[in-house]
Amino acid sequence: MNRRVVVTGMGVISPVGNDIDTFWNNLINGVNGIGHITKFDTTDYAVKIAAEVKDFNVLDYMSKPDSRRADINVHYAMGAAAQAVEDSGIEGRFVPERCGVYFGSGIGGITTFEEVNTKLINKGPRFVSPYFIPMMIPNMAAGTIAIKYGCKGAALPAVSACASGTNAIGEALRAIRHGYADVMITGGTEAAITATSLAGFINMQALNITDDIEHASLPFDARRGGFVMGEGAGALVLEEYEHAVNRGAKIYAELTGYGSTCDAHHMTAPDPEAEGGANAIRNAYLENGECDPERIYINAHGTGTPLNDKSETLALKKAFGEDAARRLTISSTKSMTGHMLGAAGAIEAIASIKVLNEGIVPPTIGLEEADPECDLFYTPQKAVEKEIDAALSSSLGFGGHNACIAFRKVK
């Protein structure tokens, strides 16, 4: 079977907005979601900035008792999923056994882990919460969404570091395409701006240590020195095309391609030859059906690390060919949202769909100094208006995970 798959609902909790309209308007206007960390005292930390979610009220999406039994990453996931389900109008309009949930998280409940571990050390094992395990494990976002909406098909996490959200969406595509489901709620979530994870990323030299908020996340810029941590969640409702048409659903885009590969090279560094990334992009693009590179948008992984941006540029050249790659329109929304880790792919999929719908490409803010090894068109500084026929979103994760998904306008 090779059934068509479409997007009928979207939801977002992010550093630049907690609903689709606010999120999108801030992206195209170059609003920077990065600021000083408020979640804990950073006095002893070399890094003091991140892209935190702001003005989020979990009680808009969960009851108080349920929220107290869930980690913050699940709070964000429930917010995004609730928006997407409401947007789609799908609730109560599917066969439960034919609806699944694939939701990614790179780290899971690390906030819960830190809080409970502190109690264990200071007070002893009797003070460890009986909810510790279900609050910590990274499958709980998928499970909690499935419980809320009665989704009795497969409910699985994708746990592939920074590629988690994209892998979740891609595998959800395959579940519908090959007949295992008619509807999937999918996406990614992360809430890892914590004392332990920040220290870990600092000590592995992954983060930019600047305190200059406006020049912290610099994808493809010659001055880039590491990524900026972000958090939040993005959710999509995917449906089999005829299922969506028969119920009169609005359709945002068709999800047409997915590539997933591994570098098999290094724990954290990308393959300098970029073969794995190129193959993931190429596979997603070929499934999509080729179109004029002038009318293709790429939401790049674009973390602002020296190795990633160089490798991703090479991957695009290998996937499309050097001449075609120079005609692509590319941007990294991480310049505004920071790197949302397991949620990044889902958030960037939503941005890609909006580009298709609106004909506006969000900018890579802060991109001022060209790098000769990153020499494609990355939409520096300001959004551009452009008709786009196909949009690809790529994600590259620790462990060598490469994932790419492709969207196009419904024909």
Side-chain angles (χ1 to χ4, degrees):
M1 302 179 73
N2 194 21
R3 307 192 306 167
R4 296 175 67 186
V5 179
V6 294
V7 179
T8 60
M10 301 189 292
V12 62
I13 304 295
S14 84
V16 295
N18 298 331
D19 60 80
I20 293 293
D21 289 343
T22 303
F23 166 75
W24 176 244
N25 287 331
N26 282 336
L27 284 188
I28 60 176
N29 285 296
V31 174
N32 189 354
I34 298 167
H36 286 94
I37 293 171
T38 64
K39 292 176 177 288
F40 56 92
D41 184 1
T42 60
T43 299
D44 295 329
Y45 287 76
V47 172
K48 303 180 186 300
I49 61 175
E52 295 179 338
V53 167
K54 306 158 191 74
D55 303 319
F56 173 77
N57 184 1
V58 64
L59 299 183
D60 290 340
Y61 305 104
M62 302 178 75
S63 70
K64 190 170 185 178
D66 285 346
S67 70
R68 295 180 66 182
R69 294 190 289 263
D71 185 81
I72 298 172
N73 86 94
V74 175
H75 296 176
Y76 293 161
M78 290 300 292
Q83 291 176 30
V85 169
E86 182 178 5
D87 183 36
S88 72
I90 193 66
E91 188 171 5
R93 303 186 70 181
F94 56 80
V95 176
E97 290 77 13
R98 300 289 297 171
C99 178
V101 182
Y102 287 0
F103 226 83
S105 179
I107 298 177
I110 191 168
T111 300
T112 294
F113 180 87
E114 287 189 17
E115 291 174 351
V116 174
N117 191 56
T118 299
K119 287 183 180 179
L120 173 66
I121 292 169
N122 293 336
K123 295 184 176 182
R126 292 179 57 219
F127 288 86
V128 171
S129 168
Y131 293 106
F132 169 53
I133 298 301
M135 289 175 69
M136 178 189 68
I137 51 182
N139 67 303
M140 200 48 62
T144 304
I145 293 167
I147 291 167
K148 179 175 177 64
Y149 294 108
C151 307
K152 296 185 177 181
L156 301 171
V159 184
S160 49
C162 308
S164 299
T166 302
N167 278 134
I169 295 168
E171 296 302 328
L173 162 70
R174 288 178 174 173
I176 297 175
R177 174 179 282 174
H178 299 305
Y180 298 103
D182 299 321
V183 178
M184 296 293 292
I185 304 170
T186 185
T189 187
E190 207 76 86
I193 302 175
T194 71
T196 302
S197 59
L198 185 71
F201 279 120
I202 291 169
N203 291 343
M204 70 181 296
Q205 300 182 330
L207 302 183
N208 194 337
I209 62 172
T210 183
D211 201 36
D212 182 352
I213 291 169
E214 299 305 324
H215 298 89
S217 184
L218 297 173
F220 305 108
D221 191 286
R223 301 163 297 160
R224 66 191 186 277
F227 71 83
V228 175
M229 289 186 70
E231 63 175 357
L236 303 176
V237 172
L238 304 184
E239 288 187 64
E240 188 272 325
Y241 176 72
E242 295 295 340
H243 188 281
V245 169
N246 288 341
R247 70 178 187 89
K250 64 178 178 295
I251 295 174
Y252 289 107
E254 184 171 0
L255 176 55
T256 52
Y258 171 49
S260 181
T261 66
C262 186
D263 288 345
H265 170 71
H266 189 270
M267 288 175 63
T268 57
D271 179 1
E273 299 301 317
E275 292 293 344
N279 284 334
I281 295 166
R282 186 181 296 115
N283 291 344
Y285 176 54
L286 291 177
E287 284 187 0
N288 178 76
E290 294 190 33
C291 65
D292 184 352
E294 292 277 358
R295 297 174 71 90
I296 297 175
Y297 168 66
I298 308 288
N299 190 297
H301 190 55
T303 59
T305 60
L307 293 180
N308 174 89
D309 296 2
K310 173 185 172 182
S311 175
E312 188 170 14
T313 298
L314 180 58
L316 288 167
K317 291 177 180 179
K318 288 189 172 184
F320 287 94
E322 181 109 14
D323 291 342
R326 295 190 182 283
R327 297 164 58 200
L328 300 169
T329 302
I330 308 162
S331 68
S332 173
T333 47
K334 288 184 180 72
S335 60
M336 294 170 277
T337 67
H339 190 350
M340 297 170 65
L341 307 176
I347 288 289
E348 291 158 17
I350 292 168
S352 301
I353 293 165
K354 291 295 288 183
V355 170
L356 273 179
N357 289 178
E358 306 295 337
I360 305 173
V361 175
T364 304
I365 67 169
L367 178 49
E368 299 169 359
E369 295 187 19
D371 182 341
E373 293 185 301
C374 299
D375 57 352
L376 302 179
F377 179 69
Y378 307 107
T379 318
Q381 309 272 8
K382 294 184 178 181
V384 298
E385 293 187 11
K386 189 164 188 179
E387 281 298 314
I388 297 294
D389 293 330
L392 279 71
S393 177
S394 63
S395 299
L396 315 173
F398 286 170
H401 302 289
N402 307 295
C404 185
I405 47 180
F407 301 92
R408 69 182 177 198
K409 295 176 181 177
V410 175
K411 298 178 180 179

